[in-house]
């Protein structure tokens, strides 16, 4: 066998071993995720907004007040910390949010939610004890928004941008609950 083929076989073996080890120790790339990754974007004129998050399913569980406890910080999704990016300064419920990348944390309550934009980037949403990795020292903005009770069930946690009434909002919906964060 010539030298080129030997080197090619060695290289392919290393790549295959690397994929196998990544799959075993980091993330099984061959199995479907229980909470799939998603990215939502909004663009209008020069404004560009983007949210990266993971979308857990309800699966018959009690969500708010059960799986997601009331009055405690939630990673706002599953797995990796949810991120929010804006290329321009925004007004969020009347308060200034500078252009940049933030992690998004929430505190669900019965009638309102606290939404926090945090400047620290976290590799994951929770630590080994399943406690949020959120550090309040990096919160740059937090607001209270009212809960909207839905007349239908949202099976999979969903974040979206709503500009249907010319009033831009970042919405989050799951189970029979929806919130809207006003953006300008």
């Amino acid at each position: 066998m010539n030298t080129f083929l030997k080197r090619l076989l060695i290289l392919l073996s290393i790549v295959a071993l690397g994929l196998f080890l990544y799959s075993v120790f980091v993330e099984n790339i061959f199995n479907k995720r229980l909470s799939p990754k998603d990215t939502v974007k909004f663009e209008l004129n020069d404004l560009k907004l983007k949210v990266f998050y993971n979308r857990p399913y309800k699966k018959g569980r009690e969500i708010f007040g059960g799986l997601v406890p009331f009055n405690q910080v939630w990673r706002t999704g599953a797995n990796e910390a949810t991120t929010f990016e804006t290329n321009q300064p925004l007004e969020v419920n009347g308060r200034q949010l500078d252009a940049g990348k933030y992690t998004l944390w929430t505190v669900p309550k019965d009638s309102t939610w606290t939404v926090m934009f945090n400047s620290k980037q976290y590799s994951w949403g929770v630590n080994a004890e399943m406690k949020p990795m959120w550090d309040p020292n990096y919160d740059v903005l937090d607001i209270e928004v009212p809960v909207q009770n839905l007349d239908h069930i949202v099976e999979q946690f969903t974040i979206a941008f709503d500009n249907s009434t010319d009033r831009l909002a970042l919405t989050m919906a799951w189970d029979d609950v929806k919130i809207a964060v006003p953006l300008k």
Side-chain angles (χ1 to χ4, degrees), residues 24-75:
V24 169
F25 293 109
V26 179
E27 176 180 3
N28 191 339
I29 57 178
F30 304 109
N31 282 347
K32 184 178 174 185
R33 289 176 68 115
L34 296 176
S35 299
K37 297 177 184 182
D38 200 359
T39 301
V40 291
K41 296 178 182 180
F42 177 81
E43 294 185 15
L44 180 65
N45 302 325
D46 294 332
L47 177 64
K48 293 180 181 170
L49 304 175
K50 180 168 82 169
V51 175
F52 165 81
Y53 71 114
N54 289 269
R55 302 185 63 197
Y57 289 88
K58 178 174 169 52
K59 295 183 185 175
R61 302 175 288 188
E62 179 184 352
I63 300 302
F64 299 108
L67 179 66
V68 178
F70 284 131
N71 303 310
Q72 292 182 25
V73 174
W74 178 43
R75 62 179 150 180

Side-chain angles (χ1 to χ4, degrees), residues 123-140:
S123 59
W124 204 250
V126 293
N127 61 21
E129 290 83 37
M130 297 303 290
K131 301 289 182 197
M133 294 182 80
W134 165 74
D135 183 345
N137 296 315
Y138 293 93
D139 283 353
V140 295

